[in-house]
Amino acid sequence: MVDTTQLKNELLENVSAAQDMKALEDVRVAALGKKGKITELMKSLSSLSVEEKKEMGKQLNILKTEIEAALDKQKAILEEKELNEKLAHEVIDVTLPIRPEVQGRIHPVSKIYEEVVAIFGQMGFDVAEGPDIEDQFHNFNALNTPANHPARQMQDTFYIKNLESDDFDDSYVVRTQTSSVQIRTMEKQRPPIRIIAPGRTYRSDYDATHTPMFHQVEGLVIDKNITMAHLKGCLYDFVKAFFELDELPVRYRPSYFPFTEPSAEMDIGCLKTKTELKIGAGNDWLEILGCGMVHPNVLKAGGIDPDEYQGFAFGVGLDRLAMLKYGIPDLRTFFESDVRWLKHYGFVPLDESSMTGGLSNNGGAQR
Ligand code: DAH
């Protein structure tokens, strides 16, 4: 019978002598490959007596396991060595300026989103969220818009069949308005509430100023002594900060929304010519957002006592804000994923929006 000790020492020596992956693989093949030394010995077992076979088989198995373990260990050592060598060569200087030809751009909607969050953030608002796929309770009913309410026709809703019910009232919707987050927030949080809810909304509509998916930001403030004066002051501060103007004429027109009473629309002063729209100057008005005092039925649906609390709410189209602020004429182009468009209208990624450092600071990428 062969003594495997010598073979073992020899193989272990070869393993630790292997200084790269190729050499290590050669050692493995020489020991365990088809014609390797251990493999050959295994094959020769058949010529031995039963007793010898048993003894030799056991020794060979132990040897095989030991060699495999040594190979694995050496492999790990070599891999680490290789990685360290690679890292030593691949030094990246993160302080170098970005090459302009490879620099990406921030989409105008993302930019506006950041700006709006920065403005309301400084006023002490939290950012709240809700799901894109909503039930009719949160999107309509709880917002004082029960089934068959005429206001449901104001929005071309995409319904989603509820697989568990044939009743149309149980179907889901892709939310038509971020107002649904008002209810979601009231369900989770007790007043005082001061949130904005930016996000995606959906309606079946398609032209230069409407796309089936668009963005809104909702605002909700609830406390014991909230009045229309708070609403006016808050939104006035918002539009001035947003358009980065010290003076901006505004007016509130009476309007109707089922979830607010009274309801209003806010207009900002502007100058409209055939070729230009100038915000803050001239004698024209531009509608910018919807708002109002939260309807008592909405507070009740959210589990809040309307005799104790009141509040105001507002809803703004984010894409529309982007179009106005950055002079983008067609909403559909926002979602065409054309890099040439993004290069033109997009923003430098490292310019952060803040109330202290500047909202749109350097303006668009090319501006
Ligand atoms: N949800 C309304 C819409 O999509 C916008 C809106 C108007 C939201 C008035 C409000 C509000 O919170 O008070 O047309």
Side-chain angles (χ1 to χ4, degrees), residues 205-259:
D205 223 343
Y206 189 70
D207 59 37
T209 51
H210 298 90
T211 49
M213 188 281 296
F214 58 107
H215 301 82
Q216 287 189 336
V217 60
E218 192 77 13
L220 177 69
V221 174
I222 299 177
D223 208 339
K224 288 199 167 144
N225 300 309
I226 297 296
T227 70
M228 194 102 185
H230 294 117
L231 174 155
K232 289 174 76 178
C234 172
L235 294 178
Y236 182 51
D237 281 352
F238 165 65
V239 289
K240 273 197 311 179
F242 179 77
F243 288 104
E244 296 171 67
L245 294 168
D246 294 331
E247 292 290 331
L248 178 58
V250 300
R251 72 174 183 190
Y252 294 85
R253 261 181 306 105
S255 183
Y256 174 77
F257 299 102
F259 32 83

Side-chain angles (χ1 to χ4, degrees), residues 143 154-155 176-180 182 201 203 214 216-220 231 256-257 259-260 262-265 289-294 312-317:
L143 289 161
M154 285 161 81
Q155 305 178 351
T176 58
Q177 49 189 355
T178 43
S179 307
S180 53
Q182 290 191 27
T201 44
R203 286 180 207 176
F214 58 107
Q216 287 189 336
V217 60
E218 192 77 13
L220 177 69
L231 174 155
Y256 174 77
F257 299 102
F259 32 83
T260 42
S263 303
E265 273 170 309
L289 55 81
C291 55
M293 301 304 292
V294 181
F312 69 83
F314 56 90
V316 198

Side-chain angles (χ1 to χ4, degrees), residues 110-172:
S110 305
K111 182 70 176 173
I112 294 294
Y113 187 115
E114 281 173 24
E115 292 181 16
V116 169
V117 169
I119 298 170
F120 283 105
Q122 212 209 20
M123 293 189 209
F125 281 71
D126 286 331
V127 173
E129 287 183 330
D132 284 22
I133 297 178
E134 260 301 1
D135 48 45
Q136 293 185 47
F137 175 77
H138 291 91
N139 194 79
F140 289 127
N141 300 41
L143 289 161
N144 199 30
T145 323
N148 303 321
H149 190 290
R152 283 220 189 179
Q153 251 112 58
M154 285 161 81
Q155 305 178 351
D156 297 303
T157 310
F158 289 115
Y159 287 91
I160 300 174
K161 188 169 166 39
N162 182 338
L163 297 176
E164 278 155 23
S165 164
D166 285 331
D167 188 344
F168 182 73
D169 289 344
D170 292 333
S171 28
Y172 294 102

